[in-house]
Short mmCIF file of all heavy atoms in Angstrom, two decimals:
data_model
loop_
_atom_site.label_atom_id
_atom_site.label_comp_id
_atom_site.label_asym_id
_atom_site.label_seq_id
_atom_site.Cartn_x
_atom_site.Cartn_y
_atom_site.Cartn_z
N PRO A 1 0.82 -1.22 0.00
CA PRO A 1 0.00 0.00 0.00
C PRO A 1 0.85 1.26 0.00
O PRO A 1 0.50 2.27 -0.57
CB PRO A 1 -0.82 -0.13 1.27
CG PRO A 1 -0.88 -1.61 1.53
CD PRO A 1 0.44 -2.15 1.09
N GLU A 2 2.04 1.19 0.70
CA GLU A 2 2.89 2.37 0.75
C GLU A 2 3.41 2.72 -0.64
O GLU A 2 3.50 3.89 -1.02
CB GLU A 2 4.07 2.13 1.71
CG GLU A 2 3.68 2.11 3.18
CD GLU A 2 3.13 0.76 3.61
OE1 GLU A 2 2.99 -0.12 2.73
OE2 GLU A 2 2.84 0.59 4.80
N ALA A 3 3.75 1.68 -1.42
CA ALA A 3 4.24 1.93 -2.78
C ALA A 3 3.16 2.58 -3.64
O ALA A 3 3.43 3.47 -4.45
CB ALA A 3 4.71 0.63 -3.41
N GLY A 4 1.92 2.12 -3.46
CA GLY A 4 0.82 2.74 -4.20
C GLY A 4 0.63 4.20 -3.84
O GLY A 4 0.34 5.04 -4.69
N LEU A 5 0.80 4.50 -2.55
CA LEU A 5 0.67 5.89 -2.13
C LEU A 5 1.76 6.76 -2.73
O LEU A 5 1.54 7.92 -3.08
CB LEU A 5 0.72 5.97 -0.60
CG LEU A 5 -0.52 5.45 0.13
CD1 LEU A 5 -0.28 5.45 1.64
CD2 LEU A 5 -1.73 6.29 -0.21
N ILE A 6 2.97 6.21 -2.85
CA ILE A 6 4.07 6.97 -3.46
C ILE A 6 3.73 7.30 -4.91
O ILE A 6 3.91 8.43 -5.39
CB ILE A 6 5.38 6.18 -3.37
CG1 ILE A 6 5.82 6.07 -1.90
CG2 ILE A 6 6.46 6.85 -4.20
CD1 ILE A 6 7.06 5.23 -1.70
N ALA A 7 3.24 6.28 -5.64
CA ALA A 7 2.88 6.51 -7.04
C ALA A 7 1.79 7.56 -7.18
O ALA A 7 1.84 8.45 -8.04
CB ALA A 7 2.43 5.20 -7.68
N ALA A 8 0.79 7.48 -6.31
CA ALA A 8 -0.30 8.46 -6.36
C ALA A 8 0.22 9.86 -6.06
O ALA A 8 -0.22 10.85 -6.65
CB ALA A 8 -1.40 8.07 -5.38
N SER A 9 1.17 9.96 -5.12
CA SER A 9 1.71 11.27 -4.78
C SER A 9 2.46 11.87 -5.95
O SER A 9 2.36 13.07 -6.23
CB SER A 9 2.65 11.15 -3.57
OG SER A 9 1.95 10.65 -2.45
N LEU A 10 3.24 11.03 -6.65
CA LEU A 10 3.99 11.52 -7.81
C LEU A 10 3.06 11.97 -8.94
O LEU A 10 3.31 12.97 -9.61
CB LEU A 10 4.95 10.44 -8.31
CG LEU A 10 6.07 10.06 -7.33
CD1 LEU A 10 6.90 8.92 -7.90
CD2 LEU A 10 6.95 11.27 -7.04
N ILE A 11 1.98 11.24 -9.15
CA ILE A 11 1.02 11.63 -10.18
C ILE A 11 0.37 12.96 -9.83
O ILE A 11 0.19 13.84 -10.67
CB ILE A 11 -0.05 10.53 -10.36
CG1 ILE A 11 0.59 9.27 -10.95
CG2 ILE A 11 -1.18 11.02 -11.27
CD1 ILE A 11 -0.35 8.09 -11.03
N ALA A 12 -0.01 13.12 -8.55
CA ALA A 12 -0.63 14.37 -8.13
C ALA A 12 0.33 15.54 -8.30
O ALA A 12 -0.07 16.64 -8.70
CB ALA A 12 -1.06 14.27 -6.66
N ALA A 13 1.63 15.30 -8.03
CA ALA A 13 2.61 16.36 -8.21
C ALA A 13 2.73 16.75 -9.67
O ALA A 13 2.84 17.93 -10.02
CB ALA A 13 3.96 15.91 -7.66
N ALA A 14 2.73 15.75 -10.56
CA ALA A 14 2.83 16.04 -11.99
C ALA A 14 1.64 16.84 -12.48
O ALA A 14 1.78 17.77 -13.28
CB ALA A 14 2.95 14.72 -12.77
N LEU A 15 0.45 16.49 -12.01
CA LEU A 15 -0.74 17.24 -12.40
C LEU A 15 -0.71 18.66 -11.88
O LEU A 15 -1.15 19.60 -12.55
CB LEU A 15 -2.00 16.53 -11.90
CG LEU A 15 -2.31 15.17 -12.56
CD1 LEU A 15 -3.51 14.53 -11.88
CD2 LEU A 15 -2.56 15.35 -14.05
N ALA A 16 -0.19 18.85 -10.70
CA ALA A 16 -0.13 20.18 -10.12
C ALA A 16 0.82 21.08 -10.89
O ALA A 16 0.61 22.29 -11.00
CB ALA A 16 0.30 20.10 -8.65
N LEU A 17 1.91 20.50 -11.43
CA LEU A 17 2.91 21.27 -12.16
C LEU A 17 2.55 21.48 -13.62
O LEU A 17 3.15 22.30 -14.29
CB LEU A 17 4.27 20.57 -12.07
CG LEU A 17 4.90 20.55 -10.67
CD1 LEU A 17 6.15 19.68 -10.69
CD2 LEU A 17 5.25 21.94 -10.20
N ALA A 18 1.56 20.74 -14.14
CA ALA A 18 1.21 20.85 -15.56
C ALA A 18 0.57 22.20 -15.84
O ALA A 18 -0.31 22.63 -15.10
CB ALA A 18 0.25 19.73 -15.95
N PRO A 19 1.00 22.90 -16.93
CA PRO A 19 0.39 24.21 -17.24
C PRO A 19 -1.02 24.06 -17.75
O PRO A 19 -1.37 23.07 -18.40
CB PRO A 19 1.32 24.77 -18.34
CG PRO A 19 1.92 23.56 -18.97
CD PRO A 19 2.06 22.54 -17.87
N ALA A 20 -1.87 25.04 -17.46
CA ALA A 20 -3.26 25.02 -17.93
C ALA A 20 -3.30 25.42 -19.39
O ALA A 20 -2.53 26.26 -19.84
CB ALA A 20 -4.11 25.98 -17.09
N PRO A 21 -4.19 24.82 -20.21
CA PRO A 21 -4.28 25.18 -21.61
C PRO A 21 -4.80 26.60 -21.80
O PRO A 21 -5.57 27.11 -20.99
CB PRO A 21 -5.29 24.15 -22.17
CG PRO A 21 -6.11 23.75 -20.98
CD PRO A 21 -5.17 23.80 -19.82
N ALA A 22 -4.37 27.24 -22.91
CA ALA A 22 -4.84 28.59 -23.22
C ALA A 22 -6.30 28.56 -23.63
O ALA A 22 -6.76 27.61 -24.26
CB ALA A 22 -4.00 29.19 -24.34
N GLN A 23 -7.04 29.59 -23.25
CA GLN A 23 -8.45 29.69 -23.58
C GLN A 23 -8.74 31.02 -24.27
O GLN A 23 -8.04 32.01 -24.04
CB GLN A 23 -9.31 29.57 -22.32
CG GLN A 23 -9.22 28.22 -21.63
CD GLN A 23 -10.10 28.15 -20.40
OE1 GLN A 23 -10.57 29.16 -19.92
NE2 GLN A 23 -10.33 26.96 -19.91
N ALA A 24 -9.75 31.03 -25.15
CA ALA A 24 -10.15 32.26 -25.83
C ALA A 24 -11.01 33.11 -24.91
O ALA A 24 -11.89 32.61 -24.23
CB ALA A 24 -10.92 31.93 -27.11
N ILE A 25 -10.69 34.38 -24.85
CA ILE A 25 -11.47 35.30 -24.03
C ILE A 25 -11.96 36.42 -24.92
O ILE A 25 -11.42 36.65 -26.00
CB ILE A 25 -10.63 35.86 -22.87
CG1 ILE A 25 -9.38 36.57 -23.42
CG2 ILE A 25 -10.24 34.77 -21.89
CD1 ILE A 25 -8.54 37.22 -22.35
N GLY A 26 -13.00 37.13 -24.51
CA GLY A 26 -13.52 38.19 -25.35
C GLY A 26 -14.38 39.15 -24.56
O GLY A 26 -14.80 38.87 -23.43
N THR A 27 -14.62 40.32 -25.16
CA THR A 27 -15.45 41.36 -24.57
C THR A 27 -16.55 41.72 -25.55
O THR A 27 -16.30 41.86 -26.76
CB THR A 27 -14.60 42.60 -24.26
OG1 THR A 27 -13.54 42.24 -23.37
CG2 THR A 27 -15.45 43.69 -23.61
N THR A 28 -17.77 41.86 -25.07
CA THR A 28 -18.91 42.20 -25.92
C THR A 28 -19.07 43.71 -25.99
O THR A 28 -19.07 44.40 -24.97
CB THR A 28 -20.20 41.55 -25.39
OG1 THR A 28 -20.04 40.12 -25.38
CG2 THR A 28 -21.38 41.91 -26.28
N PHE A 29 -19.21 44.23 -27.21
CA PHE A 29 -19.38 45.66 -27.44
C PHE A 29 -20.70 45.90 -28.17
O PHE A 29 -21.06 45.16 -29.07
CB PHE A 29 -18.24 46.22 -28.30
CG PHE A 29 -16.90 46.24 -27.61
CD1 PHE A 29 -16.07 45.13 -27.64
CD2 PHE A 29 -16.48 47.37 -26.92
CE1 PHE A 29 -14.84 45.15 -27.02
CE2 PHE A 29 -15.24 47.40 -26.29
CZ PHE A 29 -14.42 46.29 -26.33
N SER A 30 -21.39 46.96 -27.77
CA SER A 30 -22.65 47.33 -28.39
C SER A 30 -22.52 48.74 -28.99
O SER A 30 -22.24 49.71 -28.26
CB SER A 30 -23.78 47.30 -27.36
OG SER A 30 -25.01 47.66 -27.94
N PHE A 31 -22.70 48.84 -30.31
CA PHE A 31 -22.61 50.11 -31.01
C PHE A 31 -23.99 50.71 -31.22
O PHE A 31 -24.91 50.02 -31.67
CB PHE A 31 -21.94 49.94 -32.38
CG PHE A 31 -20.47 49.66 -32.33
CD1 PHE A 31 -20.00 48.36 -32.30
CD2 PHE A 31 -19.56 50.71 -32.30
CE1 PHE A 31 -18.64 48.10 -32.26
CE2 PHE A 31 -18.20 50.46 -32.25
CZ PHE A 31 -17.74 49.15 -32.23
N ASN A 32 -24.14 52.00 -30.90
CA ASN A 32 -25.32 52.76 -31.24
C ASN A 32 -24.98 53.61 -32.46
O ASN A 32 -24.08 54.46 -32.40
CB ASN A 32 -25.76 53.65 -30.07
CG ASN A 32 -26.27 52.84 -28.89
OD1 ASN A 32 -27.03 51.89 -29.08
ND2 ASN A 32 -25.84 53.18 -27.70
N LEU A 33 -25.67 53.36 -33.57
CA LEU A 33 -25.31 53.98 -34.84
C LEU A 33 -26.31 55.07 -35.20
O LEU A 33 -27.53 54.84 -35.15
CB LEU A 33 -25.27 52.92 -35.94
CG LEU A 33 -24.41 51.68 -35.64
CD1 LEU A 33 -24.54 50.66 -36.76
CD2 LEU A 33 -22.97 52.08 -35.43
N GLY A 34 -25.82 56.22 -35.57
CA GLY A 34 -26.67 57.34 -35.96
C GLY A 34 -25.87 58.62 -35.99
O GLY A 34 -24.67 58.65 -35.67
N SER A 35 -26.53 59.71 -36.36
CA SER A 35 -25.82 60.99 -36.48
C SER A 35 -25.30 61.48 -35.14
O SER A 35 -24.28 62.17 -35.07
CB SER A 35 -26.75 62.03 -37.10
OG SER A 35 -27.95 62.14 -36.34
N ALA A 36 -25.97 61.12 -34.03
CA ALA A 36 -25.56 61.62 -32.71
C ALA A 36 -24.27 60.97 -32.22
O ALA A 36 -23.54 61.56 -31.42
CB ALA A 36 -26.67 61.39 -31.69
N THR A 37 -23.95 59.77 -32.68
CA THR A 37 -22.77 59.05 -32.19
C THR A 37 -21.68 58.93 -33.25
O THR A 37 -20.65 58.33 -32.99
CB THR A 37 -23.17 57.64 -31.72
OG1 THR A 37 -23.83 56.95 -32.79
CG2 THR A 37 -24.10 57.71 -30.52
N ALA A 38 -21.91 59.47 -34.44
CA ALA A 38 -20.96 59.34 -35.53
C ALA A 38 -19.86 60.39 -35.45
O ALA A 38 -20.04 61.48 -34.92
CB ALA A 38 -21.68 59.45 -36.87
N THR A 39 -18.71 60.04 -35.98
CA THR A 39 -17.60 60.98 -36.15
C THR A 39 -17.18 60.96 -37.62
O THR A 39 -16.78 59.91 -38.11
CB THR A 39 -16.40 60.61 -35.27
OG1 THR A 39 -16.82 60.58 -33.89
CG2 THR A 39 -15.28 61.60 -35.43
N PRO A 40 -17.34 62.08 -38.34
CA PRO A 40 -17.86 63.37 -37.87
C PRO A 40 -19.39 63.34 -37.78
O PRO A 40 -20.05 62.66 -38.55
CB PRO A 40 -17.40 64.33 -38.97
CG PRO A 40 -17.35 63.48 -40.20
CD PRO A 40 -16.91 62.12 -39.74
N PRO A 41 -19.97 64.12 -36.85
CA PRO A 41 -21.44 64.15 -36.73
C PRO A 41 -22.11 64.92 -37.86
O PRO A 41 -23.26 64.63 -38.21
CB PRO A 41 -21.66 64.84 -35.38
CG PRO A 41 -20.42 65.67 -35.18
CD PRO A 41 -19.30 64.92 -35.82
N THR A 42 -21.41 65.91 -38.41
CA THR A 42 -21.94 66.69 -39.54
C THR A 42 -20.84 66.82 -40.60
O THR A 42 -19.65 66.84 -40.26
CB THR A 42 -22.38 68.09 -39.08
OG1 THR A 42 -21.26 68.76 -38.48
CG2 THR A 42 -23.53 68.00 -38.09
#
């Protein structure tokens, strides 16, 4: 049983040190379109 615990400990250590995969992140933007918000306005 002690040997099994050693193996489990080593696996847990490897998982802890493994880098997390990159993920896509984003921000939602809402545009209000019209003469009041346009550049140039006139």
Side-chain angles (χ1 to χ4, degrees):
E2 288 82 356
L5 288 174
I6 293 176
S9 300
L10 295 177
I11 293 174
L15 292 175
L17 292 173
Q23 295 181 346
I25 58 177
T27 302
T28 300
F29 291 87
S30 180
F31 288 92
N32 292 316
L33 308 176
S35 56
T37 56
T39 302
T42 58

